Amino acid sequence: MPYFVGIDIGGTNVEIGILDSNGNILGKTSIKTESKKGAHDTFTRIWNTTKLLCEKLSIKEQDIEAIGMGIPGPVINNSVVKIAANFSWQDNFPAKELMETISSKSVKVGNDVKVIALGETLFGAGRGYKNSITIPIGTGIAAGLIIDGKILEGLDGAAGEFGHVVVNKHGYKCGCGLTGCLETYCSATGIVREAKRRLQENTDNALYTLINGDLDKVEAKHIFDLAKQKDPFCLDIMEFFCDKLAQGVGMLVNIINPEVIIFTGGVSKAGQIMIDTMKKYLPNYALRMTLDNIVFKFGELEEEAGIKGAAALVMNK
Amino acid sequence: MPYFVGIDIGGTNVEIGILDSNGNILGKTSIKTESKKGAHDTFTRIWNTTKLLCEKLSIKEQDIEAIGMGIPGPVINNSVVKIAANFSWQDNFPAKELMETISSKSVKVGNDVKVIALGETLFGAGRGYKNSITIPIGTGIAAGLIIDGKILEGLDGAAGEFGHVVVNKHGYKCGCGLTGCLETYCSATGIVREAKRRLQENTDNALYTLINGDLDKVEAKHIFDLAKQKDPFCLDIMEFFCDKLAQGVGMLVNIINPEVIIFTGGVSKAGQIMIDTMKKYLPNYALRMTLDNIVFKFGELEEEAGIKGAAALVMNK
């Protein structure tokens, strides 16, 4: 029986999992990335840890068919990381080549967000759909576009930069250098900023009471929880950011006309109220035709998304 | 030697061409659509005209390998026209099936804009690119997305509705029902409207002189011609609509990160000044990364785009 390795490389930690051919994680572990020691060191430790995990699971090394790796940054041709900003590694970093040399296995590399989208398509909320968009919303926003069952990388590995669609050119300056990006409104950071702005003018509300007037304590989760309890102040914030989200999503569906949009990440924990509020505003931004049959869902892979997504790269037929 | 038929079905006329396997049009003709007589009538006349054209070109009917048809409206699975708004035919109109029954040939059907994009990819400005976007700008705006060498149809055949991306939600009402669509600013109609609005307040300019003060005479072409002569009034209008175009295109490149964008249609006749002015504003709306390697071009197929694009549907390997 063939086995597959899924590796989720982050700036701090590397998650490693071994999967059977049905996409079940048989075992997983993690190590520190410590990218300052150099890519060869990190990748060698990843492979040694993978071999130890195989031993523990009584899986022979030769039964590992292939390795998939998810990594932040734009990835070209499932092989080269164009900008390795989160690591102490050079740009145009040949991640596939290095891992193939160290492991003697077949390797594919993908952008971390895009592999999550592929993982949801193969093993999660996107099963059965050929054209899906997975949108993780956390401290940032991105989109993984699956077209005809395959990840859309884009010329420079930069397809799916949905968080940096400009929704208000007179808006806030974004970390990317642009002004008024979707991310400045709809990321957890953007939602908290809006809440703080309002709390400076309005202290007679449940959120202000909850945080004891300490604005530094505001979290996106507080806002979602109070909104679900029908607190008007927090419902207003939901309306505000879901209108902006609808503007972005409307643009996306007018262009791609996907079968399904899957929300993941911290902000998606707001739950159905987020989708319902967004859907209220969507007819202002999307052609009716594109909304008739579209499905909005939440991701299903949760904390296994990174490993399963990475493995999906080499399991996708 | 195999031959291919390309058919461009419009509300008024049908253009029919016969192509060799290199994509050269060997002969072409046109007939009236007269959709009120029913689809069976129109399609039978199309096929009879095709056979006459074959005779004229000394091509045997059995050497026709396949027929491609471009048609306005959303098309699903290269076969069914979901909404046949420009014709007196029912929705979910089975165009492929009907033409295959009448001709006994293999038939594929595509949306007219999307087949133009495919035509440009196979035979025109998009040759050699796997991911391209062709944007015809005339009285309306749309986009044909070619992903991995194939047309992106979308779930409801509605992918590429680029003209209806909302760029200003407080803007003009659009014919589609939305408010502030890109089309209301950057189509020929939108550009002329903006010019008229300005002419009502400013009569001391070259455009006003050119039209002898008759606002009904303003055409987009006048504005482009005067802008190329560096007329400040018309240059200002160019700046205005190219800023909005950049907003739309910026969003598109952030999402798709294509290799090339190809402009066609009447407004693209403005020429290089349009691309240059748009590029000036693009860094306000698109991530730098997506602009480093992108190419902007004009379509090459001109009046042959409809026939060649339709044929491309059945010639694309």
Side-chain angles (χ1 to χ4, degrees):
Chain A
M1 187 175 181
Y3 297 94
F4 301 88
V5 182
I7 301 171
D8 180 13
I9 306 183
T12 309
N13 295 303
V14 180
E15 305 281 335
I16 303 166
I18 296 182
L19 292 81
D20 64 21
S21 54
N22 296 318
N24 300 308
I25 296 179
L26 305 175
K28 61 179 175 176
T29 185
S30 77
I31 61 171
K32 292 285 167 199
T33 311
E34 294 180 308
S35 71
K36 281 185 185 165
K37 293 184 179 172
H40 196 276
D41 180 276
T42 303
F43 277 41
T44 303
R45 282 186 292 110
I46 290 173
W47 180 235
N48 289 338
T49 307
T50 305
K51 286 191 288 187
L52 283 174
L53 188 58
C54 281
E55 263 181 49
K56 203 174 132 194
L57 296 166
S58 305
I59 290 170
K60 290 181 200 143
E61 189 186 319
Q62 63 259 39
D63 288 341
I64 298 291
E65 190 167 302
I67 300 171
M69 300 198 297
I71 196 162
V75 176
I76 315 277
N77 292 328
N78 286 137
S79 60
V80 173
V81 185
K82 208 181 166 195
I83 305 166
N86 299 49
F87 307 95
S88 313
W89 306 333
Q90 86 265 27
D91 286 350
N92 295 309
F93 167 60
K96 170 192 164 84
E97 196 186 329
L98 179 60
M99 197 47 150
E100 287 189 338
T101 303
I102 291 171
S103 68
S104 302
K105 296 289 176 187
S106 169
V107 177
K108 280 190 181 177
V109 184
N111 164 271
D112 56 351
V113 168
K114 295 183 177 73
V115 305
I116 287 175
L118 190 66
E120 288 290 350
T121 296
L122 247 65
F123 307 123
R127 265 173 304 192
Y129 296 104
K130 284 178 73 180
N131 295 306
S132 68
I133 301 178
T134 297
I135 303 178
I137 313 185
T139 50
I141 301 180
L145 281 70
I146 305 294
I147 308 281
D148 216 9
K150 288 196 299 185
I151 290 174
L152 181 68
E153 276 190 348
L155 173 61
D156 309 284
E161 285 290 357
F162 179 57
H164 302 289
V165 160
V166 173
V167 293
N168 175 11
K169 67 176 176 174
H170 308 294
Y172 296 107
K173 191 89 184 163
C174 180
C176 73
L178 299 177
T179 298
C181 295
L182 183 69
E183 197 166 291
T184 64
Y185 293 100
C186 302
S187 65
T189 323
I191 295 165
V192 167
R193 167 165 55 191
E194 180 64 20
K196 285 182 179 173
R197 195 187 64 74
R198 294 177 182 219
L199 286 168
Q200 276 163 354
E201 291 160 16
N202 178 342
T203 57
D204 185 19
N205 60 71
L207 182 59
Y208 194 85
T209 307
L210 181 75
I211 58 166
N212 286 320
D214 181 354
L215 266 55
D216 289 339
K217 285 196 178 142
V218 181
E219 290 174 27
K221 189 181 181 306
H222 299 150
I223 299 158
F224 306 149
D225 287 346
L226 287 170
K228 284 177 215 170
Q229 293 164 34
K230 304 205 185 307
D231 171 62
F233 181 82
C234 290
L235 277 173
D236 261 6
I237 297 171
M238 288 289 301
E239 298 278 335
F240 177 79
F241 98 82
C242 287
D243 178 23
K244 286 282 188 287
L245 185 60
Q247 191 175 343
V249 168
M251 175 274 295
L252 211 48
V253 302
N254 277 350
I255 298 298
I256 310 291
N257 189 204
E259 296 165 78
V260 60
I261 289 185
I262 300 161
F263 293 101
T264 68
V267 170
S268 75
K269 301 281 181 242
Q272 197 57 38
I273 190 175
M274 184 188 90
I275 288 182
D276 290 344
T277 313
M278 181 199 69
K279 280 170 90 170
K280 204 169 69 180
Y281 292 101
L282 215 37
N284 297 334
Y285 304 108
L287 289 180
R288 178 57 189 268
M289 185 165 50
T290 63
L291 298 179
D292 280 347
N293 301 307
I294 195 170
V295 174
F296 294 101
K297 302 177 79 173
F298 293 107
E300 293 173 3
L301 300 188
E302 303 278 344
E303 73 279 6
E304 294 188 334
I307 287 175
K308 285 193 170 174
L313 276 174
V314 287
M315 296 177 72
N316 192 25
K317 303 300 174 201
Chain B
M1 187 176 180
Y3 297 94
F4 301 88
V5 182
I7 301 171
D8 179 16
I9 306 183
T12 310
N13 295 304
V14 180
E15 306 282 335
I16 303 167
I18 296 183
L19 292 82
D20 64 21
S21 53
N22 296 318
N24 300 307
I25 296 180
L26 305 175
K28 61 179 177 177
T29 186
S30 77
I31 61 171
K32 292 285 167 200
T33 312
E34 295 179 310
S35 72
K36 280 185 184 164
K37 292 183 178 172
H40 196 276
D41 179 276
T42 302
F43 277 41
T44 303
R45 283 186 293 110
I46 290 173
W47 180 235
N48 290 338
T49 307
T50 305
K51 285 192 288 186
L52 283 174
L53 188 58
C54 282
E55 263 181 49
K56 204 175 133 195
L57 296 166
S58 305
I59 290 170
K60 290 182 198 141
E61 189 185 319
Q62 62 261 38
D63 288 339
I64 298 291
E65 191 167 300
I67 300 170
M69 299 198 298
I71 197 163
V75 175
I76 314 277
N77 291 328
N78 285 136
S79 60
V80 172
V81 184
K82 207 179 169 198
I83 303 166
N86 299 48
F87 307 95
S88 313
W89 307 332
Q90 86 265 26
D91 286 349
N92 294 310
F93 166 60
K96 171 192 163 84
E97 195 186 330
L98 179 58
M99 197 46 150
E100 287 191 336
T101 304
I102 290 171
S103 68
S104 302
K105 296 287 177 188
S106 169
V107 177
K108 280 190 181 177
V109 184
N111 164 269
D112 56 352
V113 168
K114 294 183 178 73
V115 304
I116 286 175
L118 190 64
E120 289 289 351
T121 296
L122 248 63
F123 306 123
R127 267 172 303 192
Y129 297 104
K130 285 178 73 181
N131 294 306
S132 68
I133 302 178
T134 297
I135 304 179
I137 314 184
T139 50
I141 300 180
L145 282 70
I146 306 295
I147 307 282
D148 216 7
K150 291 196 298 185
I151 290 173
L152 180 68
E153 277 190 348
L155 173 61
D156 309 285
E161 285 290 357
F162 179 56
H164 301 290
V165 160
V166 173
V167 292
N168 175 10
K169 67 177 178 174
H170 307 295
Y172 296 108
K173 191 90 185 162
C174 180
C176 74
L178 298 177
T179 297
C181 294
L182 183 69
E183 197 166 290
T184 65
Y185 293 100
C186 301
S187 66
T189 324
I191 294 166
V192 167
R193 168 165 54 192
E194 180 65 19
K196 286 184 179 174
R197 194 186 65 73
R198 293 176 182 221
L199 285 168
Q200 277 163 354
E201 291 161 16
N202 177 343
T203 57
D204 185 18
N205 61 71
L207 182 60
Y208 194 84
T209 308
L210 181 77
I211 58 166
N212 287 319
D214 182 355
L215 267 55
D216 288 340
K217 286 197 177 141
V218 181
E219 291 175 27
K221 188 182 181 308
H222 299 150
I223 299 157
F224 306 149
D225 288 345
L226 287 170
K228 283 178 214 168
Q229 294 163 32
K230 304 206 184 306
D231 172 62
F233 181 84
C234 290
L235 278 172
D236 261 7
I237 298 171
M238 288 290 301
E239 299 279 336
F240 178 79
F241 99 81
C242 286
D243 178 24
K244 287 280 189 291
L245 186 59
Q247 191 175 344
V249 168
M251 173 274 294
L252 210 49
V253 303
N254 277 351
I255 298 298
I256 309 291
N257 188 206
E259 297 165 77
V260 61
I261 290 186
I262 299 162
F263 293 101
T264 69
V267 170
S268 75
K269 301 284 182 238
Q272 197 57 37
I273 190 175
M274 185 188 90
I275 288 181
D276 290 343
T277 314
M278 181 199 69
K279 280 170 89 170
K280 205 169 68 181
Y281 292 100
L282 216 37
N284 297 334
Y285 304 109
L287 290 181
R288 178 58 189 266
M289 186 165 48
T290 63
L291 299 178
D292 280 347
N293 301 307
I294 194 169
V295 174
F296 294 101
K297 300 177 79 174
F298 293 107
E300 293 172 2
L301 300 187
E302 304 279 342
E303 73 279 8
E304 293 187 334
I307 287 176
K308 285 193 170 174
L313 276 174
V314 286
M315 297 176 71
N316 193 24
K317 303 299 172 201

